[in-house]
Structure formats: structure tokens, C-alpha cells
DNA sequence: TCAAGATTTAGAATAATTCTAAAGTGGATT
DNA sequence: AATCCACTTTAGAATTATTCTAAATCTTGA
């Protein structure tokens, strides 16, 4: 999993937005930056707080809007782990999430290729797969 | 997937609750009945409304409590599909969910056996897998 | 029967998300 | 350069989802 340079990230952002007919705005850039900067699957609220540091005027609704736009443009995924806030992830490679029921940490994990051939019923069209594994992570298991 | 009789369901409920050191109460029975009766992955709010018909005094908090208890006892699963309310499902066989992005319907789908051997990192313990497929169902695809 | 603990209730409180209306922006057209 | 229009952002209100609280009720075992 090769890391993109800052420049490449920005270009990728512009391209993907453009492809969806959406504009590159400073707010969208900022929100995307937040996601890329610390990949800890933050909630919308957390993204808001982080974005506010660099851009104090940004509003709550804008963060939600930007996150939706990123998701629609294929730049981020939203992940529902358990009751409560939705989380966001800029890793668009096929992967699943491991959620530690003890400490709450979320880890990205690889998925077997077989998954992509899960039989969906006749006539159904599968667009994407969300896989979450609930369990105990190594750190918590030790205790 | 063999359907259980009403009597068997009730027995199953008692056993599973007992195993977790929890009591069988009329409210828990009612909430479980609601889930078994119409397997359309209702939200807590929907369960509340349905349960209220048969048991008008039941409260909101109790429904949440009962649902949590059912989940803890292995009688139901909670499913997070997208932003918004959590949904509940009494089907405890290994299966995934197909969520139609168009009409919103949720279908149970089978899973390949390979899934259970998704490699979790060293020392991690996987308790359960949640698989959701987002796409378009056959009905909506036709349109 | 009594005490302790579990459970339910109503309603308040909090958290998460969406909506609304007004203002701002940017590019295309005149 | 002025104007138009669609897209965006903003602040704050509104709504929806969930959790908390304190009092009342029920169950069970001593």
C-alpha cells in the first residue's frame, strides 16, 4: 500500500471531485486532509474539531457535507461499527475493519479474495462490501 | 434454515437469557416476539411501535434495554447499515446483509465459508463477522 | 416476610444528523 | 466589468437516535 505524496493526494481529490461534477473548495480540501492526516477512523464530530483548528470558521453542516461529497466521489468510506456516530476512512483499498470490543480501537485488516464472489441473488448488483470483525485486539487480550 | 415453533422460540429465549444470568420478563418476551414476527430488520423505534400495540405501557428505554439484552444473550444481532438508526435481526445463522441503496430494503444473504478464516493479526480474537453488501436489488435494477 | 438486586417507567438529557434560509463564490455570458 | 446562475457555506434551529436518572415495581432467596 503505497502512500501518496501530498501533491498527489490533492490531485487525486481534484480529479475525483471533477468526475462527479463537484468543485474543489478549501473546506473539502481541509476535510480530506484531516482524514489523510490521522487515519484513526474519526467520527464526523472529530473531523469537525480537527478541521476547526486549521479553519476556525468551518461549520458543522459543512463538515457533514464535505464528508458526504468525499464518500460520493469515492475518496472516503463511511463505516458503521456500532450504535453511535458514523466513522470515516480514506483507505479505499479493499479491506475490512477489526473493532476491539474492549478498547474500541479500529484496525484495518486484509480480506480474502473469495469475498468478492459472495453470491448475491439473481439480478442483484453488488457495489461494495463492508466487513467488520468484532473481537478483542492483541493488546487487550494480553491483560 | 428450520423455523422454530412458537413454543421452541420461547424455550430458546428462556435458556439463552438464563445462561447470561438474566430474567425472562414479559417485556423481553414481547420484544423478541416482535423481532421474530416480522423479520424486516426494524429499528429500535419500529420495535417500540410494534411492541406498544400488544403492550401499551412499554417504554422506550425498556425496548432499548430488551434489545441490548437479546443481543448480549445471542438471540439477536444489531446491524449498522448506514447513518441513522441501528437495526435488529433475530437470524443468528451466519449470514450477511444486502442493502439496496435505492429502496432501502435489507435482504439476508448467505456467506462463503472462507470468510470465517479471514486472517486476523497475531493475538487478535475474532468473535463475530458483520458483512454488508451495498448495491441495487433485483426489483430496483429492473426499473 | 423482608431485603437486595433486577427491571421497568416517564421523562429529561445528550448525542448525532439533517434542515433551512440567507449570504457568499466562481465561472460563464453578456 | 456587470450580471446571472448554480454550487457552497454558514449559523442555528429542528429532528432523530440513544442514554441517563430517579422513583416505582417486581422477583428471588434468606
Amino acid at each position: 500500500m503505497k502512500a501518496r505524496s501530498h501533491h498527489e493526494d490533492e490531485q487525486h481529490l481534484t480529479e475525483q471531485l471533477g468526475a462527479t461534477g463537484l468543485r474543489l473548495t478549501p473546506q473539502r480540501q481541509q476535510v480530506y486532509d484531516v482524514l489523510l492526516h490521522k487515519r484513526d477512523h474519526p467520527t464526523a464530530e472529530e473531523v469537525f474539531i480537527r478541521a476547526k483548528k486549521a479553519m476556525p470558521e468551518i461549520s458543522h453542516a459543512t463538515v457533514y457535507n464535505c464528508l458526504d461529497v468525499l464518500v460520493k466521489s469515492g475518496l472516503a468510506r463511511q463505516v458503521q461499527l456500532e450504535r453511535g456516530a458514523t466513522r470515516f476512512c480514506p483507505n479505499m483499498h479493499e479491506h475490512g475493519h477489526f473493532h476491539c470490543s474492549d478498547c474500541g480501537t479500529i484496525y484495518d485488516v486484509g480480506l480474502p479474495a473469495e469475498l468478492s464472489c459472495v453470491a448475491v441473488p439473481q439480478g442483484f448488483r453488488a457495489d461494495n462490501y463492508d466487513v467488520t470483525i468484532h473481537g478483542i485486539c492483541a493488546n487487550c487480550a494480553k491483560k
Side-chain angles (χ1 to χ4, degrees), chain A residues 93-137:
Chain A
H93 296 89
E94 174 162 89
H95 71 286
H97 292 107
F98 183 98
H99 176 242
C100 177
S101 331
D102 194 11
C103 65
T105 308
I106 299 156
Y107 302 84
D108 283 359
V109 299
L111 289 179
E114 293 83 6
L115 188 62
S116 327
C117 26
V118 166
V120 296
Q122 264 299 326
F124 283 52
R125 189 189 82 214
D127 290 332
N128 70 75
Y129 295 77
D130 276 346
V131 178
T132 303
I133 305 169
H134 298 270
I136 305 290
C137 75

Side-chain angles (χ1 to χ4, degrees), chain A residues 23-142:
Chain A
R23 288 192 194 138
L24 173 63
T25 67
Q27 289 85 350
R28 287 172 183 171
Q29 210 162 326
Q30 178 59 48
V31 166
Y32 190 44
D33 269 2
V34 166
L35 290 188
L36 292 175
H37 182 66
K38 194 172 173 205
R39 291 155 170 268
D40 61 347
H41 307 85
T43 63
E45 183 64 22
E46 284 161 349
V47 173
F48 174 61
I49 292 166
R50 294 178 198 174
K52 229 173 150 59
K53 288 200 183 132
M55 190 180 265
E57 353 61 60
I58 199 169
S59 89
H60 217 166
T62 298
V63 169
Y64 274 93
N65 168 10
C66 293
L67 288 170
D68 284 348
V69 160
L70 293 177
V71 169
K72 281 207 196 87
S73 313
L75 289 153
R77 309 188 59 168
Q78 60 178 49
V79 197
Q80 320 292 137
L81 291 152
E82 39 168 12
R83 262 188 254 177
T86 302
R87 294 171 175 280
F88 294 86
C89 165
N91 175 357
M92 298 300 289
H93 296 89
E94 174 162 89
H95 71 286
H97 292 107
F98 183 98
H99 176 242
C100 177
S101 331
D102 194 11
C103 65
T105 308
I106 299 156
Y107 302 84
D108 283 359
V109 299
L111 289 179
E114 293 83 6
L115 188 62
S116 327
C117 26
V118 166
V120 296
Q122 264 299 326
F124 283 52
R125 189 189 82 214
D127 290 332
N128 70 75
Y129 295 77
D130 276 346
V131 178
T132 303
I133 305 169
H134 298 270
I136 305 290
C137 75
N139 279 341
C140 294
K142 264 187 285 189

